């Protein structure tokens, strides 16, 4: 974003300064004396904020096979066999486990993919997301 500020230019003769176009705020800054002014353009960096993050969680149930949960973690969350097994066992023992942390759109997509894949294979696996 550009910001326009005014400064008097001592190198411009007073006769030419009177002919130069003026901005409405020039009179207020220079005290209305009619002195010469130039404009300086400065760049202002826009402040960006980080997007909110969401945790994708798998919930335990009594019917989905452990091997299927490991397959889901490998396929949709790019976990290796060891990491997927560790998460699956955490879900089995604690009732819930974190698969990853993503921006809203990615987390929503992952949840939908997992749920569709589970339904397609006739498993009641539940996958949810929550704000971190």
């Amino acid at each position: 974003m550009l910001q326009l500020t005014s400064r008097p230019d001592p190198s411009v003769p007073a006769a030419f300064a009177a002919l130069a176009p003026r901005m409405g705020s020039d009179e207020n800054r220079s005290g209305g004396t009619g002195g010469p002014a130039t404009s300086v353009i400065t760049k202002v960096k826009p402040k960006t904020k980080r997007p909110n993050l969401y945790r994708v969680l798998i919930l335990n149930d009594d019917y989905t096979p452990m091997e299927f949960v490991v397959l889901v973690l490998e396929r949709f969350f790019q976990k290796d066999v060891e990491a997927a097994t560790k998460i699956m066992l955490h879900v089995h023992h604690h009732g819930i486990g974190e698969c990853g942390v993503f921006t809203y759109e990615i987390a929503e997509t992952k949840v939908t993919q997992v749920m569709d894949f589970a339904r397609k294979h006739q498993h009641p696996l539940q996958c949810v997301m929550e704000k971190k």
Side-chain angles (χ1 to χ4, degrees), residues 19-124:
L19 299 175
R22 301 191 57 151
M23 294 177 55
S25 63
D26 284 348
E27 288 178 313
N28 295 338
R29 289 191 183 156
S30 63
T33 59
T38 60
S39 297
V40 177
I41 298 175
T42 58
K43 286 189 178 182
V44 178
K45 282 192 174 184
K47 293 181 182 178
T48 57
K49 77 173 199 178
R50 292 193 160 277
N52 293 325
L53 295 177
Y54 291 81
R55 299 169 60 203
V56 176
L57 307 167
I58 287 186
L59 307 178
N60 190 33
D61 64 71
D62 295 333
Y63 304 102
T64 305
M66 293 180 177
E67 295 81 15
F68 184 77
V69 175
V70 170
L71 173 68
V72 164
L73 291 166
E74 290 174 342
R75 179 175 288 190
F76 297 105
F77 299 98
Q78 290 71 45
K79 303 292 184 188
D80 57 30
V81 177
E82 294 170 18
T85 304
K86 185 177 178 181
I87 294 170
M88 177 272 300
L89 287 173
H90 188 274
V91 171
H92 182 68
H93 293 324
H94 297 95
I96 193 167
E98 183 178 292
C99 305
V101 178
F102 308 96
T103 59
Y104 180 83
E105 291 81 9
I106 294 173
E108 187 178 40
T109 301
K110 298 263 186 201
V111 168
T112 303
Q113 289 174 333
V114 169
M115 296 294 287
D116 289 347
F117 188 70
R119 298 298 161 264
K120 180 179 175 186
H121 290 89
Q122 299 178 348
H123 294 296

